Amino acid sequence: MTARPNADSPHADPPHAPVDGPLYAHGIVRRGFRPRPGLVGAGGGAVLVVPAGPLAALVSVPCGPGVWGGDGFPQASGAAGMSRAEAAAQAAADAHRRVVDEAAATVCVLPLRIGTVHRDEAQVRRVLTERADLYERLLTRLDGRLEWGVKAYADDAAGAWAAGDGAGAVTDGAGEPVDKLARAAHDALADVSECSRVHHRWDACPHGVLPGAAASCATSAYWTSPISGAPYPHGRNLLDSAYLVHREAAGVFAETVGGLVARCPELHIELTGPWAPYSFADPDELPDLTG
């Protein structure tokens, strides 16, 4: 007789009634992870675990089936409907990030594209099975590592920044252009991280590891400040980078940021994180990590 798994075991899959309707997919983890009871996902539904082999997907059941469109966000029409759709998209993006980052606090998570919706559990399992090798390689590469974000701004309150050829650009006390300080800051942080990615203004969003509809990353609280020519509250944005850092090296990375803040008063430097490795979960750009 085959023994049944103990429901109290940390490696037992949390029980739930099979779901036939659409499921919003948040991320991929190794089988055995159990989300916090009461954790709410996109659309206000409870977060469930759908396992397949050694992997599992974190999904939620969108409330109000039938109103979710192909892009993973509630549909609406008309002028008044547009504002409701935008609010719903913002709420979905926030919930997506909340679920992924809460899981990433304890296990390695591959974040999926915002707005990834599957028809049912069978489709989720099929995708997990078909791409199991890729997902396991990504989980192995990223295990024990988190993403930190660093943004650097130059103070142009006095209007010293000039567009075009850079004439009249903001300089530090020695007369060096501040953008060189930002590049030096990035180099210093790259030296104490395992991988880095500079976000450019044409980066719409991080790529998901599951095929899905286009993400509405402008609604995500994390992806609101790509590099652009527009002024920011703190000045001109010179650096918007993501760094992959091992959990054990987080202190060293934070100290490096603190040292840059002290040495570069001409820059306003912001550190955010730790996050799940959003910028490093692209299957087409596997990070080349050692060890």
Side-chain angles (χ1 to χ4, degrees):
M1 181 174 63
T2 302
R4 298 181 61 187
N6 181 356
D8 294 328
S9 168
H11 298 292
D13 298 317
H16 68 268
V19 179
D20 294 328
L23 293 171
Y24 185 109
H26 296 274
I28 304 296
V29 295
R30 290 191 174 90
R31 187 168 185 158
F33 174 73
R34 307 186 69 167
R36 171 177 58 84
L39 181 61
V40 174
V47 176
L48 309 174
V49 175
V50 177
L55 304 174
L58 299 177
V59 304
S60 58
V61 183
C63 295
V67 300
W68 284 62
D71 62 353
F73 296 118
Q75 300 300 289
S77 60
M82 288 300 295
S83 61
R84 291 197 302 271
E86 291 172 357
Q90 177 69 62
D94 290 344
H96 177 89
R97 185 172 60 90
R98 180 177 62 250
V99 171
V100 170
D101 288 334
E102 182 167 320
T106 56
V107 297
C108 184
V109 183
L110 301 181
L112 302 185
R113 191 185 303 273
I114 296 175
T116 298
V117 178
H118 294 293
R119 289 190 303 272
D120 50 29
E121 288 191 18
Q123 186 183 34
V124 174
R125 290 191 174 93
R126 183 165 60 252
V127 173
L128 286 176
T129 301
E130 291 174 351
R131 311 196 81 188
D133 181 64
L134 171 62
Y135 293 156
E136 290 202 76
R137 282 191 292 132
L138 278 166
L139 285 168
T140 299
R141 291 285 187 96
L142 299 173
D143 192 24
R145 298 162 174 89
L146 293 170
E147 176 174 329
W148 292 82
V150 175
K151 296 181 176 68
Y153 306 87
D155 182 10
D156 63 347
W161 192 279
D165 60 5
V170 175
T171 60
D172 66 2
E176 290 294 326
V178 179
D179 60 342
K180 289 187 177 180
L181 294 178
R183 285 195 291 271
H186 168 67
D187 291 342
L189 294 173
D191 285 343
V192 294
S193 62
E194 298 191 5
C195 285
S196 63
R197 180 185 176 189
V198 177
H199 299 300
H200 301 281
R201 58 179 176 272
W202 51 82
D203 288 338
C205 63
H207 299 291
V209 295
L210 271 182
S216 181
C217 289
T219 66
S220 170
Y222 182 68
W223 301 104
T224 52
S225 299
I227 288 179
S228 73
Y232 281 68
H234 303 300
R236 189 69 55 172
N237 185 215
L238 299 178
L239 178 67
D240 186 351
S241 294
Y243 302 90
L244 191 66
V245 180
H246 199 283
R247 292 178 188 269
E248 296 178 356
V252 173
F253 185 81
E255 289 178 1
T256 303
V257 174
L260 292 171
V261 170
R263 294 196 304 273
C264 305
E266 298 81 10
L267 295 178
H268 180 93
I269 298 176
E270 292 183 351
L271 173 65
T272 59
W275 312 99
Y278 293 94
S279 300
F280 306 95
D282 186 347
D284 296 324
E285 299 179 6
L286 290 175
D288 185 15
L289 305 180
T290 59

